[in-house]
Amino acid sequence: MPAVNAGDYPTVRMTALTEPFWNACERNILTVQRCERCRQWNFPPVDSCRICHSGLVWSEVTGQGRIYSFSVVWRAPVPAFTVPYAVAIIEMHEGFTIMSNIVGSPAGDIAIGAPVTVTFVKRGEIAIPMFRLSRE
Amino acid sequence: MSHHLFRDAAIVGVYNTKQARRLEGQSTGSLIRDAILGALNDAGMSTSDLDGILVCPPYMDRTTDAESRRWGYELGLRDYWVGSSVTPFLGVIEAAAAIAMGQCTTVVVATGQAGLHSDHQSTAPWTQIGEWTLPWGLFSVAEFALVARRHMHLYNTSVEQMAAVAAAIRSHGNLHPEAVMFGRGAVSVDDVLSSRLIAEPFRLLDCAITSEGGAAIVVTNFSRAQDCRRPPTYILGAGSDTRGPAYNLPPTWEMCGDLGSRASKNAFSMAGLSPRDVRACEFYDPFSFEVIRQFEAFGFCKEGEGGDFVTSGVIERGQKYPVSTDGGLLSFSHAGQAQTAQRIIESVRQVRGDAVLQIDNCDVALASLGGSATMFSAVLLIGQGRP
């Protein structure tokens, strides 16, 4: 299994199933799985469609979404993370949800419902998808 | 009335070792041994009474099956049933089912933890598993915080309401001599709200402590239960549900907000009871908000009303639905898997009438396990009368 550990950040534990996601991130593209039959979007990755059990293909998404919930963290699980930082659930334009960080804004500007856009933050050899508040 | 599945099984012994932030000189193994011998002593039994064992290791690289085999051998058992549940909470259900099926007569369910998840770690190592959480600094507290924040948004639940839960439970622990936080002083809502932030909206006192300790429970069949040292208690109802892998999925309210609703319905239905019959709410309380959520999911109040419910004068000792009467994960102990057994142990003691902080007329207690962000929930109803 490929494992990339940049600095003291937690290792990204990718698998054969999830490698396409991380490879696309490296090219600053957010891709998730989509059912080739029922067109349902899916994240996190699984082996077959959770609705109709057909095959899935990796497809680029808009990278646009809205903050569903968030938390400003003041006690990091490992010292690599500088506090405070914001974690969030993003409800993506395509309808799936993803957990990530909100970067580039003071914590006070972060609110449920705020529109966000994906951005990629390099961490060693890997690029981590994060989100910035977008102008409506 | 149809035959109750757990009619022929009874809980007859419970024991907690000493619990502390650090137990110098103790190991996971010494705590498990002490817990097993203590629970057998509580039942008036010895290892020669055992023909079943279920030991849950606190480490992710070992299985309950392997640990149980090893411990049965180490305790000198010859022909013995072993369980495979990952948590002692579910292990009690598995043991009772095995006894009801005639696979064995007497099972000890045990666990313990020392030296693995000690003082001042922000989160247990076995929760740090997610490809879709770790790179973003997500960990158990932050994931549960995301659920609490959404509930605040949907239903105007306040940090004061969450703090009221933490204050009530921590004040119970303050009075319980076996609790890690015993004697640390009663905790007020203001104390909770002035503790440092961990992951908003949670502050330090909204979150479970970390500690070391062991715990064990002895389950036997109905006839053997009649000549034990303590009065038997019974499993009146049980339910257990999962919605996906733990610590890896976005914990949206739609995904996990009412998790435990079916498990509790199954348990209440099996028992022929409803939430208003419960005298002690020994909920799994990793975070203050999870108590609010469970009151909703288990049907004590409607979805969205949990914040008002917990501040309506019901959750403290002497009130209608006292929560975590030993101090729970917030102040009694949170030691690997021991705290999952301890929700049952406190339920058993309350129902037997020998709890340290005894509730009047406690004939039914509800023990629970799990939580929203872990994507699973289990419920046990413990009672005095044979079902």
Side-chain angles (χ1 to χ4, degrees), chain A residues 10 13-14 18 21-22 43-45 68-72 74-75 77 81 85 87 97 99-101 112 123 128-129, chain B residues 120 122 128 131-139 145-146 149-150 153 197-200 249-254:
Chain A
R13 301 171 187 205
M14 64 181 80
T18 66
F21 176 89
W22 295 107
F43 184 85
Y68 174 94
S69 189
F70 70 98
S71 173
V72 177
W74 294 85
R75 166 73 158 100
F81 294 97
Y85 61 93
V87 299
T97 55
M99 284 190 282
S100 186
N101 295 128
I112 290 177
R123 203 178 271 168
I128 311 285
Chain B
H120 304 132
S122 62
Q128 297 171 36
E131 181 175 0
W132 309 109
T133 52
L134 299 183
W136 295 272
L138 281 149
F139 63 122
L146 291 169
R149 170 82 69 180
R150 186 67 187 180
H153 174 77
L197 284 164
I198 302 296
E200 296 179 28
L249 300 173
T252 61
W253 187 254
E254 292 74 14

Side-chain angles (χ1 to χ4, degrees), chain A residues 20-39:
Chain A
F21 176 89
W22 295 107
N23 288 343
C25 285
E26 222 171 298
R27 292 178 281 120
N28 287 6
I29 296 169
L30 188 65
T31 63
V32 305
Q33 295 170 311
R34 192 173 198 187
C35 178
E36 55 193 7
R37 196 176 118 205
C38 79
R39 311 301 290 158

Side-chain angles (χ1 to χ4, degrees), chain B residues 9-221:
Chain B
I11 298 172
V12 291
V14 294
Y15 186 73
N16 288 317
T17 68
K18 182 175 168 56
Q19 313 287 314
R21 300 299 293 255
R22 281 286 290 134
L23 289 168
E24 294 298 338
Q26 294 277 15
S27 64
T28 294
S30 68
L31 290 169
I32 289 172
R33 178 203 60 214
D34 290 352
I36 290 171
L37 298 179
L40 286 168
N41 179 58
D42 187 59
M45 290 177 155
S46 69
T47 51
S48 62
D49 292 295
L50 290 177
D51 62 354
I53 188 162
L54 194 160
V55 175
C56 300
Y59 352 86
M60 289 176 63
D61 57 345
R62 299 198 198 174
T63 65
T64 296
D65 174 78
E67 285 293 287
S68 302
R69 286 178 180 219
R70 178 173 87 76
W71 275 98
Y73 173 78
E74 189 160 328
L75 293 173
L77 311 190
R78 187 162 168 87
D79 289 311
Y80 53 98
W81 173 90
V82 296
S84 57
S85 295
V86 172
T87 74
F89 189 101
L90 298 176
V92 168
I93 301 173
E94 186 186 0
I99 290 165
M101 286 192 298
Q103 301 298 297
C104 51
T105 302
T106 304
V107 180
V108 66
V109 178
T111 193
Q113 190 281 119
L116 296 166
H117 174 210
S118 43
D119 244 356
H120 304 132
Q121 269 179 265
S122 62
T123 189
W126 44 88
T127 66
Q128 297 171 36
I129 52 178
E131 181 175 0
W132 309 109
T133 52
L134 299 183
W136 295 272
L138 281 149
F139 63 122
S140 54
V141 188
E143 290 165 54
F144 277 94
L146 291 169
V147 183
R149 170 82 69 180
R150 186 67 187 180
H151 197 269
M152 293 170 75
H153 174 77
L154 289 172
Y155 300 117
N156 292 317
T157 307
S158 67
V159 290
E160 287 79 8
Q161 290 170 328
M162 295 182 211
V165 171
I169 294 175
R170 286 176 172 272
S171 294
H172 294 162
N174 170 54
L175 297 173
H176 197 302
E178 296 171 22
V180 171
M181 303 301 271
F182 169 64
R184 300 283 285 262
V187 175
S188 69
V189 169
D190 283 345
D191 291 335
V192 179
L193 294 176
S194 58
S195 63
R196 65 188 166 88
L197 284 164
I198 302 296
E200 296 179 28
F202 294 150
R203 292 172 181 273
L204 182 67
L205 298 187
D206 287 300
C207 304
I209 57 172
T210 60
S211 54
E212 300 181 346
I217 297 167
V218 178
V219 189
T220 191
N221 68 15

Side-chain angles (χ1 to χ4, degrees), chain A residues 18-101:
Chain A
T18 66
E19 214 177 332
F21 176 89
W22 295 107
N23 288 343
C25 285
E26 222 171 298
R27 292 178 281 120
N28 287 6
I29 296 169
L30 188 65
T31 63
V32 305
Q33 295 170 311
R34 192 173 198 187
C35 178
E36 55 193 7
R37 196 176 118 205
C38 79
R39 311 301 290 158
Q40 177 74 24
W41 294 95
N42 180 76
F43 184 85
V46 291
D47 283 305
S48 57
C49 176
R50 295 180 61 235
I51 307 295
C52 73
H53 319 300
S54 304
L56 297 162
V57 290
W58 289 93
S59 310
E60 186 171 350
V61 296
T62 59
Q64 310 286 318
R66 286 180 185 274
I67 296 176
Y68 174 94
S69 189
F70 70 98
S71 173
V72 177
V73 177
W74 294 85
R75 166 73 158 100
V78 292
F81 294 97
T82 307
V83 296
Y85 61 93
V87 299
I89 301 172
I90 316 296
E91 188 163 26
M92 299 298 291
H93 175 73
E94 289 80 6
F96 66 93
T97 55
I98 184 170
M99 284 190 282
S100 186
N101 295 128

